[in-house]
Amino acid sequence: MDIDSVTPNEEEVGVYLADYLRALAERTGGHVETMAVEPHRFNVFAYWGEPAVTLSTHMDTVPPFYASREDDEFIWGRGRAIRRELSRR
């Protein structure tokens, strides 16, 4: 949560995610690929077996970056998941 991934600073979070998934894939028979998009930006594709379904999301967050914090009830931090249609009608 404390990696600055505000667009276009996704490289560090991408490296973290790819390394984390590679370690998991090595233990469980999966595969991880990175695909360059532009300098310092890439996609991460992880799969186990033949993909029948893929889940697509993004690693960047909206500005500004701020570090996470916790209290007795919540974990606070920047980030959001946006579901987008992969094809338009």
Side-chain angles (χ1 to χ4, degrees):
M1 264 177 84
D2 286 328
I3 299 174
D4 180 357
S5 60
V6 173
T7 307
N9 299 329
E10 299 100 322
E11 183 176 29
E12 186 179 355
V13 74
V15 169
Y16 173 84
L17 180 61
D19 289 347
Y20 180 89
L21 290 171
R22 278 190 188 103
L24 178 63
E26 286 176 10
R27 293 192 316 269
T28 60
H31 305 277
V32 177
E33 300 174 24
T34 57
M35 298 163 243
V37 175
E38 57 187 45
H40 308 290
R41 297 179 82 190
F42 56 90
N43 293 321
V44 177
F45 181 58
Y47 60 97
W48 284 255
E50 287 294 318
V53 175
T54 59
L55 305 175
S56 178
T57 189
H58 58 92
M59 297 180 281
D60 62 329
T61 55
V62 297
F65 170 76
Y66 59 87
S68 65
R69 64 183 172 83
E70 295 182 46
D71 61 27
D72 291 337
E73 190 173 357
F74 298 104
I75 299 173
W76 302 84
R78 173 68 73 193
R80 81 189 269 183
I82 301 171
R83 191 182 119 244
R84 296 182 183 180
E85 292 182 56
L86 298 178
S87 62
R88 305 273 180 201
R89 294 181 189 189

